[in-house]
Amino acid sequence: MEVNYLSIDPYHCTLFDEQKKCDIIVAVKRFVASFSIIGCLFIITLIWLFKKYLFFTQRLILYLSCAAFIDAIAYVMGDIHPDGAWCEFQAWMLSFFDWAVLLWVCCITFNLYYNVIKLKSSEKFEILYHAISWGFSLFISLLPFIGDHYGPAGAWCWINGSNETYWRFFTWYGPLFVIIVIMFAVYSYLTYRLNQRVRTWEGTYDPDIEHSKELLKQDIKPLKAYPFIYLILSIFPLINRIQNAVNPGEAVFGLVLMHAICSPLQGVFNAIAYGLDKETISRLTWPQISVAWKGHFYERSQIREYPLAVPDNLDIDERDYLKQPLTESYS
């Protein structure tokens, strides 16, 4: 027997005439977001286990993963709710952590630019990165509370009500479009400069050049995938919202579905990129995992000695750290 959802659910979805379409979108969104949560936990666990947080490039990935982790939780929570405090909290949570993910990707992009152009790390800006990524996210996510613009917005809670299109583009899609264009231009330029620089180094040997090569290979390589992942995953959500603005009230199921798939997918692809890194793969052996685990819980005693060798596939800052005349034993 066919169930009439509209007659039994006072909080039915307003995107489509058929409630089942919204049910599918919500289910898919939660399914994808659940995998993103697992992916983010995978990254966070490895960074903690192997103490990668001691190194700046890994901390950037950690900050992005923490933001994406809570953002994925917000997507799992998102559902068709009546207007009220719980719905507004979910809407704010989505806005805040969507912005946090975007801004940490921007910080990673700037760090890549600083690496490639100046051949330096941007670690001195780490506190500023936090102030921008969390502070600006908080500021702009609070703006829709002015005039009560958070509430039910189709298949989940977000910005709705009068002038919803204006508020959506003012507080999210407008800045997002500008930032994506800038990131794409910067990413293309960095790729060009990297290829150009590598060609000029062919057949030459110089200590400074060799150090620059190592910086490009080891400091830039772990980060360059994340802005690209974000750019790709932003395509369908942006197209869907443009369609919503051009034809309000006439949502396209396929676009909304792709929006629901891509928006919470950041953690999944980040985990894939992180897991495919050669240095990460080389550590995923039981002996190394066991030693790393014991290193967190066993009492440490310091022994002064110099390491015989340092693996070549570590980041520059990791190699410098390991070359220090200090190792640890556990008792």
Side-chain angles (χ1 to χ4, degrees), residues 93-291:
M93 192 174 176
L94 274 175
S95 294
F96 179 85
F97 287 102
D98 276 349
W99 265 106
V101 170
L102 171 60
L103 291 175
W104 276 117
V105 171
C106 289
C107 291
I108 288 175
T109 303
F110 177 79
N111 181 70
L112 290 172
Y113 177 85
Y114 212 73
N115 290 158
V116 174
I117 304 303
K118 296 185 178 293
L119 295 177
K120 297 178 181 178
S121 170
S122 68
E123 185 172 1
K124 62 182 179 181
F125 301 123
E126 186 171 1
I127 296 177
L128 180 62
Y129 288 165
H130 281 285
I132 293 173
S133 297
W134 304 118
F136 186 78
S137 298
L138 178 62
F139 168 75
I140 202 164
S141 66
L142 292 175
L143 290 180
F145 282 112
I146 301 174
D148 193 26
H149 290 283
Y150 280 139
W156 54 82
C157 295
W158 196 44
I159 297 172
N160 75 346
S162 59
N163 299 319
E164 66 177 30
T165 299
Y166 169 78
W167 276 93
R168 286 176 180 180
F169 276 86
F170 171 70
T171 61
W172 179 241
Y173 286 105
L176 175 65
F177 180 78
V178 173
I179 291 172
I180 284 177
V181 171
I182 294 174
M183 280 204 302
F184 180 79
V186 171
Y187 197 84
S188 301
Y189 177 68
L190 293 180
T191 302
Y192 168 76
R193 286 296 301 269
L194 276 171
N195 293 334
Q196 186 183 50
R197 187 162 289 163
V198 169
R199 285 196 297 268
T200 62
W201 288 338
E202 291 179 356
T204 62
Y205 178 82
D206 182 272
D208 292 334
I209 290 178
E210 293 303 312
H211 180 270
S212 297
K213 285 181 179 180
E214 287 299 314
L215 176 67
L216 293 176
K217 291 179 180 178
Q218 306 298 340
D219 208 27
I220 295 174
K221 185 179 178 181
L223 296 177
K224 65 181 182 180
Y226 301 98
F228 180 74
I229 289 171
Y230 190 91
L231 290 173
I232 295 299
L233 294 180
S234 298
I235 293 174
F236 280 106
L238 191 58
I239 292 174
N240 179 54
R241 290 308 183 187
I242 291 174
Q243 188 277 332
N244 293 164
V246 174
N247 295 306
E250 297 182 13
V252 178
F253 177 73
L255 285 179
V256 178
L257 182 62
M258 291 304 300
H259 184 166
I261 292 173
C262 293
S263 288
L265 201 56
Q266 183 84 26
V268 174
F269 278 88
N270 286 356
I272 293 172
Y274 196 80
L276 291 178
D277 177 67
K278 291 182 179 179
E279 191 275 329
T280 301
I281 294 175
S282 68
R283 292 193 176 190
L284 294 180
T285 62
W286 177 247
Q288 293 206 44
I289 292 174
S290 178
V291 169

